[in-house]
Amino acid sequence: MPQGSSILLIIGGGIAAYKSLELIRELKKRGCAVRAILTKAGHQFVTPLSVAALSGEKVFDDLFSLTDEVEMGHIQLSRSADLVVVAPATADLMAKMATGQASDLATTALLATDKRVLIAPAMNVRMWQHPATQRNLATLAGDGIAVVGPNSGDMACGEFGPGRMAEPLEIVAAIERLLDGASVSPPAPSLAGRHVLVTSGPTHEPIDPVRYLANRSSGKQGHAIAAAARRAGARVTLVSGPVAIADPAGVETIHVETAQQMLEAVERALPADIAVFAAAVADWRVASASGDKIKKAGGRAPALALTENPDILATIARHRQHRPALVVGFAAETANLVEHAQAKLASKGCDLIVANDVSLTGSGIAGGVMGADSNAVHLVSASGITTWPTLGKDEVATRLVQHFAALGAEWT
Ligand code: CTP
Protein backbone atom coordinates (compact mmCIF):
# COMPACT_ATOMS: atom_id res chain seq x y z
CA MET A 1 0.00 0.00 0.00
CA PRO A 2 1.52 3.36 -0.96
CA GLN A 3 2.34 5.32 2.25
CA GLY A 4 0.05 8.23 2.97
CA SER A 5 -2.75 6.99 0.71
CA SER A 6 -6.02 8.68 1.34
CA ILE A 7 -9.29 6.74 1.45
CA LEU A 8 -12.81 8.11 1.39
CA LEU A 9 -14.88 5.54 3.26
CA ILE A 10 -18.65 5.59 2.80
CA ILE A 11 -20.40 3.71 5.58
CA GLY A 12 -23.87 2.53 4.59
CA GLY A 13 -26.63 1.39 6.89
CA GLY A 14 -26.14 -2.27 7.67
CA ILE A 15 -25.35 -4.40 10.68
CA ALA A 16 -21.88 -4.91 9.15
CA ALA A 17 -21.12 -1.21 9.71
CA TYR A 18 -19.38 -2.15 12.96
CA LYS A 19 -16.74 -3.94 10.86
CA SER A 20 -16.02 -0.64 9.12
CA LEU A 21 -14.67 0.68 12.42
CA GLU A 22 -12.16 -2.19 12.39
CA LEU A 23 -11.43 -1.37 8.74
CA ILE A 24 -10.60 2.23 9.67
CA ARG A 25 -8.27 0.95 12.40
CA GLU A 26 -6.47 -1.40 9.96
CA LEU A 27 -6.10 1.36 7.36
CA LYS A 28 -4.74 3.83 9.91
CA LYS A 29 -2.24 1.16 11.06
CA ARG A 30 -0.98 1.06 7.47
CA GLY A 31 -0.47 4.82 7.35
CA CYS A 32 -3.60 5.71 5.37
CA ALA A 33 -5.62 8.85 5.93
CA VAL A 34 -9.31 7.96 6.20
CA ARG A 35 -12.17 10.41 5.73
CA ALA A 36 -15.62 8.98 6.31
CA ILE A 37 -19.09 9.75 5.05
CA LEU A 38 -21.81 8.25 7.19
CA THR A 39 -25.16 7.80 5.44
CA LYS A 40 -28.38 8.52 7.27
CA ALA A 41 -29.00 4.78 7.63
CA GLY A 42 -25.35 4.29 8.66
CA HIS A 43 -26.07 6.51 11.67
CA GLN A 44 -28.37 3.80 12.98
CA PHE A 45 -25.48 1.37 13.31
CA VAL A 46 -22.36 3.38 14.23
CA THR A 47 -22.02 6.81 15.78
CA PRO A 48 -20.22 9.72 14.12
CA LEU A 49 -18.22 10.02 17.33
CA SER A 50 -16.71 6.52 17.11
CA VAL A 51 -15.93 6.99 13.39
CA ALA A 52 -14.31 10.38 14.08
CA ALA A 53 -12.34 9.02 17.04
CA LEU A 54 -10.88 6.17 14.99
CA SER A 55 -10.26 8.12 11.79
CA GLY A 56 -9.00 11.22 13.57
CA GLU A 57 -11.03 13.27 11.09
CA LYS A 58 -14.36 15.04 11.06
CA VAL A 59 -17.17 12.79 9.82
CA PHE A 60 -19.18 14.06 6.85
CA ASP A 61 -22.86 13.37 6.80
CA ASP A 62 -24.84 16.32 5.54
CA LEU A 63 -24.96 17.27 1.89
CA PHE A 64 -26.32 20.71 2.63
CA SER A 65 -24.02 21.67 5.48
CA LEU A 66 -22.95 25.18 4.63
CA THR A 67 -19.75 24.93 6.64
CA ASP A 68 -18.67 21.79 4.82
CA GLU A 69 -19.46 23.34 1.49
CA VAL A 70 -17.22 26.29 2.40
CA GLU A 71 -14.45 24.19 3.92
CA MET A 72 -14.71 21.32 1.46
CA GLY A 73 -17.38 20.80 -1.17
CA HIS A 74 -18.65 17.34 -1.92
CA ILE A 75 -16.85 17.34 -5.27
CA GLN A 76 -13.53 18.06 -3.61
CA LEU A 77 -14.27 15.51 -0.89
CA SER A 78 -14.72 12.77 -3.48
CA ARG A 79 -11.66 13.75 -5.48
CA SER A 80 -9.14 14.44 -2.74
CA ALA A 81 -9.08 10.68 -1.95
CA ASP A 82 -6.98 8.12 -3.83
CA LEU A 83 -9.76 5.56 -3.59
CA VAL A 84 -13.43 5.57 -2.59
CA VAL A 85 -14.55 2.55 -0.54
CA VAL A 86 -18.20 1.76 0.22
CA ALA A 87 -18.46 -0.59 3.22
CA PRO A 88 -21.01 -1.81 3.90
CA ALA A 89 -22.54 -1.35 0.46
CA THR A 90 -26.22 -2.01 1.08
CA ALA A 91 -28.69 -3.12 -1.59
CA ASP A 92 -30.11 0.39 -1.50
CA LEU A 93 -26.73 2.07 -2.03
CA MET A 94 -25.89 -0.33 -4.86
CA ALA A 95 -29.23 0.40 -6.54
CA LYS A 96 -28.64 4.14 -6.22
CA MET A 97 -25.12 3.80 -7.60
CA ALA A 98 -26.30 1.66 -10.52
CA THR A 99 -28.90 4.24 -11.49
CA GLY A 100 -26.66 7.26 -10.90
CA GLN A 101 -28.73 8.86 -8.17
CA ALA A 102 -27.40 11.79 -6.17
CA SER A 103 -29.87 12.12 -3.35
CA ASP A 104 -27.49 12.58 -0.43
CA LEU A 105 -23.83 13.27 0.29
CA ALA A 106 -22.72 9.64 -0.17
CA THR A 107 -24.35 9.14 -3.57
CA THR A 108 -23.35 12.63 -4.73
CA ALA A 109 -19.71 11.95 -3.84
CA LEU A 110 -19.90 8.60 -5.65
CA LEU A 111 -21.26 10.25 -8.77
CA ALA A 112 -18.78 13.12 -8.66
CA THR A 113 -15.64 11.12 -8.04
CA ASP A 114 -12.96 10.61 -10.67
CA LYS A 115 -11.26 7.92 -8.58
CA ARG A 116 -11.72 4.15 -8.52
CA VAL A 117 -14.49 2.86 -6.30
CA LEU A 118 -14.49 -0.38 -4.30
CA ILE A 119 -17.70 -1.72 -2.79
CA ALA A 120 -18.05 -4.34 -0.04
CA PRO A 121 -21.67 -5.51 -0.36
CA ALA A 122 -23.51 -6.65 2.77
CA MET A 123 -27.13 -7.68 2.92
CA ASN A 124 -29.56 -10.51 3.55
CA VAL A 125 -28.91 -13.53 1.33
CA ARG A 126 -32.24 -13.22 -0.52
CA MET A 127 -31.66 -9.53 -1.15
CA TRP A 128 -28.22 -10.40 -2.53
CA GLN A 129 -29.56 -13.16 -4.75
CA HIS A 130 -32.49 -11.10 -6.01
CA PRO A 131 -32.20 -10.56 -9.78
CA ALA A 132 -32.50 -6.79 -9.21
CA THR A 133 -29.39 -6.72 -7.01
CA GLN A 134 -27.51 -9.02 -9.39
CA ARG A 135 -28.49 -6.74 -12.27
CA ASN A 136 -27.22 -3.72 -10.35
CA LEU A 137 -24.01 -5.58 -9.58
CA ALA A 138 -23.45 -6.38 -13.26
CA THR A 139 -24.07 -2.71 -14.11
CA LEU A 140 -21.59 -1.58 -11.46
CA ALA A 141 -18.97 -4.09 -12.66
CA GLY A 142 -19.51 -2.80 -16.19
CA ASP A 143 -18.91 0.73 -14.87
CA GLY A 144 -15.50 -0.41 -13.60
CA ILE A 145 -16.44 -0.57 -9.93
CA ALA A 146 -14.42 -3.14 -7.98
CA VAL A 147 -16.18 -5.53 -5.64
CA VAL A 148 -14.93 -7.45 -2.61
CA GLY A 149 -17.15 -10.17 -1.14
CA PRO A 150 -19.73 -10.80 0.00
CA ASN A 151 -18.80 -13.97 1.88
CA SER A 152 -21.06 -16.87 2.68
CA GLY A 153 -21.95 -17.89 6.20
CA ASP A 154 -24.39 -17.41 9.05
CA MET A 155 -26.01 -14.01 8.87
CA ALA A 156 -27.23 -11.65 11.55
CA CYS A 157 -30.77 -12.19 10.24
CA GLY A 158 -30.54 -15.90 11.06
CA GLU A 159 -30.22 -17.09 7.45
CA PHE A 160 -27.25 -18.73 5.77
CA GLY A 161 -25.60 -17.96 2.45
CA PRO A 162 -23.78 -15.21 0.58
CA GLY A 163 -24.35 -11.69 1.91
CA ARG A 164 -21.90 -11.24 4.77
CA MET A 165 -19.60 -8.30 4.26
CA ALA A 166 -15.99 -9.25 3.51
CA GLU A 167 -13.76 -9.19 6.58
CA PRO A 168 -11.81 -5.96 7.21
CA LEU A 169 -8.50 -7.62 6.25
CA GLU A 170 -9.99 -8.87 2.98
CA ILE A 171 -11.14 -5.33 2.23
CA VAL A 172 -7.67 -4.01 3.10
CA ALA A 173 -6.14 -6.55 0.65
CA ALA A 174 -8.54 -5.38 -2.09
CA ILE A 175 -7.69 -1.74 -1.31
CA GLU A 176 -3.96 -2.50 -1.47
CA ARG A 177 -4.39 -4.17 -4.84
CA LEU A 178 -6.36 -1.26 -6.25
CA LEU A 179 -4.00 1.36 -4.87
CA ASP A 180 -0.91 -0.48 -6.12
CA GLY A 181 -2.26 -0.55 -9.65
CA ALA A 182 -4.51 2.49 -9.39
CA SER A 183 -2.73 4.62 -11.93
CA VAL A 184 -2.43 1.88 -14.52
CA SER A 185 -5.40 -0.41 -14.02
CA PRO A 186 -8.18 0.02 -16.55
CA PRO A 187 -11.80 -0.25 -15.45
CA ALA A 188 -12.85 -3.83 -14.64
CA PRO A 189 -13.06 -5.59 -18.01
CA SER A 190 -16.43 -6.88 -19.04
CA LEU A 191 -17.42 -10.33 -20.30
CA ALA A 192 -20.70 -9.10 -21.78
CA GLY A 193 -21.73 -11.26 -24.73
CA ARG A 194 -19.46 -14.16 -23.67
CA HIS A 195 -20.56 -17.64 -22.64
CA VAL A 196 -18.61 -18.92 -19.64
CA LEU A 197 -18.86 -22.58 -18.63
CA VAL A 198 -17.76 -23.59 -15.13
CA THR A 199 -17.59 -26.96 -13.38
CA SER A 200 -17.70 -27.00 -9.60
CA GLY A 201 -17.95 -29.23 -6.55
CA PRO A 202 -17.13 -32.91 -6.11
CA THR A 203 -18.56 -35.85 -7.99
CA HIS A 204 -20.20 -38.77 -6.24
CA GLU A 205 -19.43 -42.18 -7.69
CA PRO A 206 -21.91 -44.81 -6.52
CA ILE A 207 -20.80 -48.03 -4.84
CA ASP A 208 -24.34 -49.23 -4.30
CA PRO A 209 -27.69 -47.42 -3.93
CA VAL A 210 -26.71 -45.94 -0.56
CA ARG A 211 -22.91 -45.52 -0.69
CA TYR A 212 -20.57 -43.54 -2.88
CA LEU A 213 -16.98 -42.38 -3.33
CA ALA A 214 -16.55 -38.62 -2.89
CA ASN A 215 -14.07 -35.92 -1.87
CA ARG A 216 -14.02 -32.81 0.31
CA SER A 217 -14.71 -30.22 -2.38
CA SER A 218 -17.31 -27.66 -1.23
CA GLY A 219 -17.86 -26.00 -4.61
CA LYS A 220 -17.19 -22.57 -3.06
CA GLN A 221 -14.43 -21.60 -5.49
CA GLY A 222 -16.18 -22.81 -8.64
CA HIS A 223 -19.49 -21.24 -7.65
CA ALA A 224 -17.71 -17.97 -6.81
CA ILE A 225 -16.14 -17.98 -10.31
CA ALA A 226 -19.54 -18.55 -11.91
CA ALA A 227 -21.01 -15.68 -9.87
CA ALA A 228 -18.08 -13.38 -10.70
CA ALA A 229 -18.38 -14.16 -14.42
CA ARG A 230 -22.09 -13.34 -14.22
CA ARG A 231 -21.27 -10.06 -12.48
CA ALA A 232 -18.90 -9.29 -15.33
CA GLY A 233 -21.85 -9.58 -17.69
CA ALA A 234 -21.27 -13.09 -19.12
CA ARG A 235 -23.91 -15.73 -19.78
CA VAL A 236 -22.83 -18.46 -17.39
CA THR A 237 -23.52 -22.19 -17.30
CA LEU A 238 -22.46 -23.91 -14.09
CA VAL A 239 -22.26 -27.71 -14.01
CA SER A 240 -22.17 -28.63 -10.36
CA GLY A 241 -21.64 -31.85 -8.48
CA PRO A 242 -23.51 -32.32 -5.18
CA VAL A 243 -22.82 -29.30 -2.94
CA ALA A 244 -24.47 -27.70 0.08
CA ILE A 245 -24.35 -24.15 -1.26
CA ALA A 246 -26.95 -22.20 -3.24
CA ASP A 247 -26.98 -21.87 -7.03
CA PRO A 248 -25.50 -18.47 -7.94
CA ALA A 249 -28.17 -15.96 -8.97
CA GLY A 250 -28.58 -15.43 -12.68
CA VAL A 251 -26.50 -18.50 -13.56
CA GLU A 252 -27.92 -21.54 -15.36
CA THR A 253 -26.97 -24.32 -12.98
CA ILE A 254 -27.04 -27.97 -14.03
CA HIS A 255 -26.86 -30.45 -11.19
CA VAL A 256 -25.05 -33.74 -11.73
CA GLU A 257 -23.68 -36.50 -9.53
CA THR A 258 -21.06 -38.50 -11.37
CA ALA A 259 -18.06 -37.63 -13.54
CA GLN A 260 -19.74 -39.20 -16.56
CA GLN A 261 -22.86 -37.07 -16.07
CA MET A 262 -20.65 -34.00 -15.62
CA LEU A 263 -18.89 -34.68 -18.94
CA GLU A 264 -22.21 -35.12 -20.74
CA ALA A 265 -23.63 -31.88 -19.26
CA VAL A 266 -20.46 -29.97 -20.18
CA GLU A 267 -20.54 -31.27 -23.76
CA ARG A 268 -24.21 -30.31 -24.07
CA ALA A 269 -23.42 -26.77 -22.83
CA LEU A 270 -20.83 -26.14 -25.57
CA PRO A 271 -19.96 -23.94 -27.39
CA ALA A 272 -18.47 -21.60 -24.80
CA ASP A 273 -15.88 -18.84 -25.01
CA ILE A 274 -14.28 -19.68 -21.68
CA ALA A 275 -14.40 -22.98 -19.80
CA VAL A 276 -13.20 -23.17 -16.20
CA PHE A 277 -12.83 -26.63 -14.68
CA ALA A 278 -12.91 -26.06 -10.95
CA ALA A 279 -14.67 -29.33 -10.05
CA ALA A 280 -12.83 -31.94 -8.03
CA VAL A 281 -13.80 -34.78 -10.32
CA ALA A 282 -13.34 -38.28 -8.90
CA ASP A 283 -10.52 -39.89 -10.83
CA TRP A 284 -12.08 -43.31 -10.45
CA ARG A 285 -15.51 -44.87 -10.24
CA VAL A 286 -16.53 -48.31 -9.09
CA ALA A 287 -16.30 -50.54 -12.16
CA SER A 288 -19.69 -52.12 -11.58
CA ALA A 289 -21.76 -50.42 -8.91
CA SER A 290 -24.09 -52.86 -7.19
CA GLY A 291 -27.81 -52.46 -7.89
CA ASP A 292 -28.56 -53.70 -4.39
CA LYS A 293 -27.13 -52.57 -1.08
CA ILE A 294 -23.97 -54.58 -0.42
CA LYS A 295 -24.44 -56.66 2.73
CA LYS A 296 -21.78 -57.65 5.24
CA ALA A 297 -20.75 -61.17 4.31
CA GLY A 298 -19.22 -63.20 7.08
CA GLY A 299 -16.76 -60.49 8.18
CA ARG A 300 -15.15 -60.29 4.72
CA ALA A 301 -14.79 -56.74 3.36
CA PRO A 302 -15.97 -56.45 -0.26
CA ALA A 303 -13.30 -55.75 -2.89
CA LEU A 304 -14.05 -52.62 -4.90
CA ALA A 305 -12.70 -52.75 -8.45
CA LEU A 306 -12.18 -49.20 -9.73
CA THR A 307 -12.04 -47.93 -13.26
CA GLU A 308 -10.80 -44.54 -14.47
CA ASN A 309 -13.27 -41.73 -15.11
CA PRO A 310 -13.12 -39.60 -18.28
CA ASP A 311 -10.92 -36.54 -17.89
CA ILE A 312 -13.42 -33.76 -18.59
CA LEU A 313 -10.85 -30.97 -18.81
CA ALA A 314 -8.58 -32.88 -21.20
CA THR A 315 -11.57 -33.93 -23.33
CA ILE A 316 -12.81 -30.36 -23.76
CA ALA A 317 -9.32 -28.89 -24.21
CA ARG A 318 -8.89 -31.24 -27.19
CA HIS A 319 -12.42 -30.91 -28.51
CA ARG A 320 -12.30 -30.88 -32.32
CA GLN A 321 -15.42 -28.83 -33.00
CA HIS A 322 -15.96 -26.67 -29.96
CA ARG A 323 -12.73 -26.11 -28.04
CA PRO A 324 -13.41 -22.92 -26.01
CA ALA A 325 -10.97 -20.10 -26.77
CA LEU A 326 -9.78 -20.13 -23.17
CA VAL A 327 -9.61 -23.41 -21.24
CA VAL A 328 -8.70 -23.14 -17.57
CA GLY A 329 -7.95 -26.04 -15.24
CA PHE A 330 -7.31 -26.24 -11.52
CA ALA A 331 -4.58 -28.29 -9.92
CA ALA A 332 -5.20 -29.47 -6.39
CA GLU A 333 -1.83 -30.52 -5.02
CA THR A 334 -0.27 -31.40 -1.71
CA ALA A 335 3.39 -31.15 -2.83
CA ASN A 336 5.53 -29.66 -5.66
CA LEU A 337 2.64 -27.43 -6.60
CA VAL A 338 4.10 -25.51 -9.51
CA GLU A 339 5.91 -28.48 -11.08
CA HIS A 340 2.73 -30.56 -11.05
CA ALA A 341 0.73 -27.63 -12.42
CA GLN A 342 3.17 -27.18 -15.29
CA ALA A 343 2.94 -30.89 -16.07
CA LYS A 344 -0.89 -30.70 -16.03
CA LEU A 345 -0.86 -27.67 -18.33
CA ALA A 346 0.88 -29.79 -20.95
CA SER A 347 -0.82 -33.13 -20.34
CA LYS A 348 -4.35 -31.69 -20.33
CA GLY A 349 -3.81 -29.24 -23.18
CA CYS A 350 -5.30 -26.24 -21.37
CA ASP A 351 -4.24 -22.58 -21.51
CA LEU A 352 -4.00 -21.82 -17.81
CA ILE A 353 -3.78 -23.81 -14.59
CA VAL A 354 -4.87 -22.30 -11.29
CA ALA A 355 -2.80 -24.26 -8.78
CA ASN A 356 -3.76 -24.46 -5.14
CA ASP A 357 -2.23 -26.20 -2.19
CA VAL A 358 -4.72 -28.58 -0.64
CA SER A 359 -2.26 -30.00 1.87
CA LEU A 360 -3.75 -30.63 5.24
CA THR A 361 -3.12 -27.75 7.60
CA GLY A 362 -4.73 -26.39 10.70
CA SER A 363 -7.42 -28.41 12.35
CA GLY A 364 -6.64 -31.92 11.20
CA ILE A 365 -7.70 -33.80 8.13
CA ALA A 366 -10.49 -31.43 7.07
CA GLY A 367 -8.52 -28.28 7.84
CA GLY A 368 -7.11 -27.66 4.35
CA VAL A 369 -8.27 -25.38 1.56
CA MET A 370 -11.19 -27.64 0.58
CA GLY A 371 -14.23 -26.20 2.30
CA ALA A 372 -12.35 -23.13 3.54
CA ASP A 373 -13.30 -19.57 2.60
CA SER A 374 -9.86 -18.49 1.40
CA ASN A 375 -7.39 -19.77 -1.11
CA ALA A 376 -3.75 -19.15 -2.07
CA VAL A 377 -3.26 -19.74 -5.78
CA HIS A 378 -0.57 -19.67 -8.44
CA LEU A 379 -1.47 -18.98 -12.07
CA VAL A 380 0.58 -21.19 -14.34
CA SER A 381 0.58 -20.68 -18.09
CA ALA A 382 2.99 -20.86 -21.00
CA SER A 383 3.90 -17.25 -20.31
CA GLY A 384 4.98 -17.83 -16.70
CA ILE A 385 3.86 -18.14 -13.11
CA THR A 386 1.98 -15.53 -11.08
CA THR A 387 1.50 -16.00 -7.36
CA TRP A 388 -1.32 -14.30 -5.49
CA PRO A 389 -1.48 -13.85 -1.71
CA THR A 390 -4.05 -15.75 0.33
CA LEU A 391 -7.40 -14.19 -0.57
CA GLY A 392 -11.07 -14.88 0.04
CA LYS A 393 -12.45 -17.29 -2.57
CA ASP A 394 -14.76 -14.53 -3.82
CA GLU A 395 -11.80 -12.23 -4.31
CA VAL A 396 -9.86 -15.00 -6.10
CA ALA A 397 -12.91 -15.46 -8.35
CA THR A 398 -13.24 -11.75 -9.11
CA ARG A 399 -9.56 -11.48 -9.93
CA LEU A 400 -9.62 -14.60 -12.09
CA VAL A 401 -12.56 -13.30 -14.08
CA GLN A 402 -10.81 -9.96 -14.57
CA HIS A 403 -7.74 -11.88 -15.70
CA PHE A 404 -9.78 -13.92 -18.21
CA ALA A 405 -11.39 -10.75 -19.56
CA ALA A 406 -8.00 -9.06 -19.84
CA LEU A 407 -6.75 -12.10 -21.81
CA GLY A 408 -9.76 -11.58 -24.08
CA ALA A 409 -7.81 -9.44 -26.50
CA GLU A 410 -5.54 -12.44 -27.12
CA TRP A 411 -8.23 -15.06 -27.69
CA THR A 412 -10.81 -13.15 -29.69
N1 CTP B 1 -10.38 -32.90 -14.04
C1 CTP B 1 -11.40 -33.23 -14.91
N2 CTP B 1 -11.80 -34.54 -15.03
C2 CTP B 1 -11.19 -35.50 -14.30
C3 CTP B 1 -10.14 -35.17 -13.40
C4 CTP B 1 -9.77 -33.85 -13.29
O1 CTP B 1 -11.96 -32.34 -15.58
N3 CTP B 1 -11.60 -36.74 -14.43
C5 CTP B 1 -9.94 -31.50 -13.98
C6 CTP B 1 -10.22 -30.79 -12.67
O2 CTP B 1 -11.49 -30.13 -12.72
C7 CTP B 1 -9.08 -29.80 -12.62
C8 CTP B 1 -7.93 -30.52 -13.29
O3 CTP B 1 -8.54 -31.54 -14.11
O4 CTP B 1 -9.34 -28.64 -13.35
C9 CTP B 1 -6.92 -31.14 -12.40
O5 CTP B 1 -7.52 -31.91 -11.41
P1 CTP B 1 -6.62 -32.67 -10.33
O6 CTP B 1 -7.52 -33.51 -9.47
O7 CTP B 1 -5.69 -31.72 -9.67
O8 CTP B 1 -5.74 -33.56 -11.28
P2 CTP B 1 -5.90 -34.98 -11.82
O9 CTP B 1 -6.02 -34.92 -13.30
O10 CTP B 1 -6.97 -35.71 -11.11
O11 CTP B 1 -4.46 -35.56 -11.49
P3 CTP B 1 -3.89 -36.14 -10.12
O12 CTP B 1 -5.08 -36.56 -9.30
O13 CTP B 1 -3.04 -37.25 -10.56
O14 CTP B 1 -3.11 -35.01 -9.50
Side-chain angles (χ1 to χ4, degrees):
M1 166 120 47
Q3 264 297 314
S5 298
S6 143
I7 309 290
L8 177 64
L9 174 64
I10 296 176
I11 304 177
I15 192 81
Y18 76 93
K19 288 196 207 168
S20 300
L21 299 179
E22 186 59 29
L23 174 62
I24 297 174
R25 205 195 306 269
E26 291 294 339
L27 289 169
K28 296 289 287 182
K29 256 203 299 201
R30 287 163 177 76
C32 290
V34 182
R35 277 209 176 103
I37 295 178
L38 197 53
T39 66
K40 202 169 155 206
H43 270 99
Q44 308 293 321
F45 296 91
V46 291
T47 66
L49 198 62
S50 47
V51 177
L54 285 168
S55 65
E57 298 257 4
K58 172 180 170 25
V59 176
F60 296 85
D61 59 4
D62 183 3
L63 178 54
F64 300 106
S65 158
L66 200 57
T67 345
D68 291 348
E69 284 298 322
V70 172
E71 285 170 6
M72 171 173 287
H74 60 273
I75 307 263
Q76 199 193 335
L77 181 63
S78 69
R79 294 191 185 166
S80 59
D82 298 308
L83 183 72
V84 182
V85 178
V86 188
T90 58
D92 179 60
L93 261 175
M94 285 175 60
K96 285 182 170 149
M97 289 172 75
T99 48
Q101 293 182 42
S103 50
D104 60 5
L105 178 58
T107 48
T108 307
L110 282 161
L111 207 56
T113 191
D114 57 356
K115 297 297 172 2
R116 288 213 67 184
V117 177
L118 170 72
I119 62 170
M123 66 197 72
N124 166 274
V125 55
R126 304 232 178 278
M127 291 170 74
W128 173 252
Q129 289 173 339
H130 195 286
T133 303
Q134 292 300 312
R135 241 187 347 261
N136 291 334
L137 188 64
T139 303
L140 294 174
D143 289 347
I145 287 176
V147 185
V148 54
N151 294 337
S152 288
D154 287 320
M155 308 199 60
C157 52
E159 291 188 61
F160 180 88
R164 281 165 62 113
M165 188 169 90
E167 294 304 318
L169 286 180
E170 290 176 302
I171 302 177
V172 168
I175 290 173
E176 279 174 339
R177 182 167 58 80
L178 286 169
L179 284 177
D180 288 342
S183 54
V184 288
S185 65
S190 167
L191 287 178
R194 304 283 181 196
H195 180 207
V196 177
L197 173 60
V198 182
T199 70
S200 183
T203 61
H204 285 182
E205 308 296 334
I207 297 170
D208 66 18
V210 295
R211 305 179 178 100
Y212 54 83
L213 299 176
N215 59 61
R216 296 186 186 282
S217 170
S218 65
K220 283 179 187 168
Q221 189 63 81
H223 278 54
I225 292 169
R230 178 72 199 103
R231 287 199 297 275
R235 174 168 81 83
V236 183
T237 307
L238 173 65
V239 181
S240 173
V243 292
I245 55 177
D247 296 351
V251 167
E252 190 195 346
T253 305
I254 299 161
H255 297 272
V256 298
E257 283 205 8
T258 67
Q260 282 174 308
Q261 291 167 357
M262 189 173 271
L263 174 61
E264 284 159 24
V266 163
E267 283 183 321
R268 270 198 304 273
L270 291 175
D273 299 289
I274 303 174
V276 184
F277 296 89
V281 183
D283 289 325
W284 302 281
R285 66 178 181 278
V286 176
S288 51
S290 169
D292 294 315
K293 186 181 170 203
I294 302 172
K295 306 294 287 177
K296 284 200 288 290
R300 255 185 313 118
L304 287 181
L306 300 179
T307 184
E308 200 162 324
N309 266 329
D311 190 316
I312 304 168
L313 166 59
T315 306
I316 303 305
R318 302 211 162 85
H319 205 281
R320 290 237 175 101
Q321 265 179 304
H322 292 307
R323 185 197 192 274
L326 184 66
V327 177
V328 181
F330 271 67
E333 306 292 348
T334 53
N336 304 329
L337 197 65
V338 171
E339 292 77 359
H340 283 312
Q342 280 167 328
K344 275 180 192 170
L345 190 69
S347 69
K348 306 224 177 200
C350 56
D351 306 302
L352 176 70
I353 287 274
V354 181
N356 54 7
D357 188 347
V358 291
S359 57
L360 304 174
T361 55
S363 54
I365 196 145
V369 72
M370 283 193 165
D373 286 325
S374 56
N375 207 354
V377 304
H378 307 263
L379 267 53
V380 181
S381 72
S383 55
I385 300 159
T386 309
T387 299
W388 288 347
T390 301
L391 299 164
K393 285 185 176 174
D394 288 324
E395 176 66 8
V396 170
T398 304
R399 279 196 187 203
L400 280 175
V401 165
Q402 286 181 354
H403 185 69
F404 302 156
L407 289 174
E410 293 165 31
W411 47 260
T412 41

Short mmCIF file of all heavy atoms in Angstrom, two decimals, residues 18 42 62 82 112 155 178 218 238 296 339-340 382:
data_model
loop_
_atom_site.label_atom_id
_atom_site.label_comp_id
_atom_site.label_asym_id
_atom_site.label_seq_id
_atom_site.Cartn_x
_atom_site.Cartn_y
_atom_site.Cartn_z
N TYR A 18 -20.35 -2.10 11.85
CA TYR A 18 -19.38 -2.15 12.96
C TYR A 18 -18.02 -2.62 12.47
O TYR A 18 -16.98 -2.24 13.00
CB TYR A 18 -19.90 -3.03 14.11
CG TYR A 18 -19.81 -4.51 13.84
CD1 TYR A 18 -18.69 -5.25 14.24
CD2 TYR A 18 -20.83 -5.18 13.16
CE1 TYR A 18 -18.61 -6.60 13.97
CE2 TYR A 18 -20.75 -6.52 12.89
CZ TYR A 18 -19.63 -7.23 13.30
OH TYR A 18 -19.53 -8.56 13.01
N GLY A 42 -26.58 4.68 7.96
CA GLY A 42 -25.35 4.29 8.66
C GLY A 42 -25.35 4.78 10.10
O GLY A 42 -24.82 4.11 11.00
N ASP A 62 -23.73 15.45 5.91
CA ASP A 62 -24.84 16.32 5.54
C ASP A 62 -24.52 17.06 4.25
O ASP A 62 -23.66 17.92 4.21
CB ASP A 62 -25.12 17.30 6.68
CG ASP A 62 -26.32 18.18 6.37
OD1 ASP A 62 -26.95 17.99 5.31
OD2 ASP A 62 -26.61 19.06 7.19
N ASP A 82 -7.58 8.96 -2.78
CA ASP A 82 -6.98 8.12 -3.83
C ASP A 82 -7.95 7.02 -4.25
O ASP A 82 -7.86 6.48 -5.34
CB ASP A 82 -5.69 7.47 -3.32
CG ASP A 82 -4.65 8.52 -2.96
OD1 ASP A 82 -4.38 9.38 -3.83
OD2 ASP A 82 -4.14 8.51 -1.83
N ALA A 112 -19.70 12.04 -8.29
CA ALA A 112 -18.78 13.12 -8.66
C ALA A 112 -17.33 12.66 -8.72
O ALA A 112 -16.48 13.36 -9.28
CB ALA A 112 -18.91 14.26 -7.65
N MET A 155 -25.80 -15.45 8.94
CA MET A 155 -26.01 -14.01 8.87
C MET A 155 -26.74 -13.54 10.11
O MET A 155 -27.41 -14.31 10.79
CB MET A 155 -26.81 -13.68 7.61
CG MET A 155 -26.18 -14.29 6.38
SD MET A 155 -26.73 -13.52 4.89
CE MET A 155 -26.22 -11.86 5.12
N LEU A 178 -5.90 -2.36 -5.40
CA LEU A 178 -6.36 -1.26 -6.25
C LEU A 178 -5.42 -0.07 -6.20
O LEU A 178 -5.13 0.55 -7.21
CB LEU A 178 -7.77 -0.83 -5.82
CG LEU A 178 -8.87 -1.80 -6.20
CD1 LEU A 178 -10.18 -1.44 -5.51
CD2 LEU A 178 -9.07 -1.80 -7.71
N SER A 218 -16.08 -28.33 -1.65
CA SER A 218 -17.31 -27.66 -1.23
C SER A 218 -18.02 -26.97 -2.38
O SER A 218 -19.18 -26.60 -2.28
CB SER A 218 -16.98 -26.60 -0.18
OG SER A 218 -16.19 -25.58 -0.78
N LEU A 238 -23.22 -23.26 -15.17
CA LEU A 238 -22.46 -23.91 -14.09
C LEU A 238 -22.90 -25.37 -14.03
O LEU A 238 -24.09 -25.66 -13.89
CB LEU A 238 -22.76 -23.20 -12.77
CG LEU A 238 -22.21 -23.82 -11.49
CD1 LEU A 238 -20.68 -23.78 -11.48
CD2 LEU A 238 -22.75 -23.08 -10.26
N LYS A 296 -22.97 -57.07 4.60
CA LYS A 296 -21.78 -57.65 5.24
C LYS A 296 -21.85 -59.15 5.02
O LYS A 296 -22.88 -59.77 5.20
CB LYS A 296 -21.80 -57.38 6.76
CG LYS A 296 -21.43 -55.95 7.10
CD LYS A 296 -20.98 -55.82 8.54
CE LYS A 296 -22.13 -55.94 9.52
NZ LYS A 296 -23.07 -54.80 9.50
N GLU A 339 5.43 -27.45 -10.14
CA GLU A 339 5.91 -28.48 -11.08
C GLU A 339 4.74 -29.32 -11.58
O GLU A 339 4.59 -29.57 -12.78
CB GLU A 339 6.94 -29.42 -10.42
CG GLU A 339 8.27 -28.79 -10.08
CD GLU A 339 8.21 -27.92 -8.81
OE1 GLU A 339 7.14 -27.81 -8.19
OE2 GLU A 339 9.26 -27.35 -8.45
N HIS A 340 3.88 -29.75 -10.65
CA HIS A 340 2.73 -30.56 -11.05
C HIS A 340 1.79 -29.77 -11.96
O HIS A 340 1.24 -30.29 -12.91
CB HIS A 340 1.96 -31.06 -9.83
CG HIS A 340 2.63 -32.20 -9.12
ND1 HIS A 340 3.09 -33.30 -9.79
CD2 HIS A 340 2.89 -32.41 -7.82
CE1 HIS A 340 3.63 -34.15 -8.92
NE2 HIS A 340 3.52 -33.62 -7.71
N ALA A 382 1.78 -20.81 -20.19
CA ALA A 382 2.99 -20.86 -21.00
C ALA A 382 3.83 -19.59 -20.82
O ALA A 382 5.04 -19.59 -20.97
CB ALA A 382 2.62 -21.04 -22.47
#
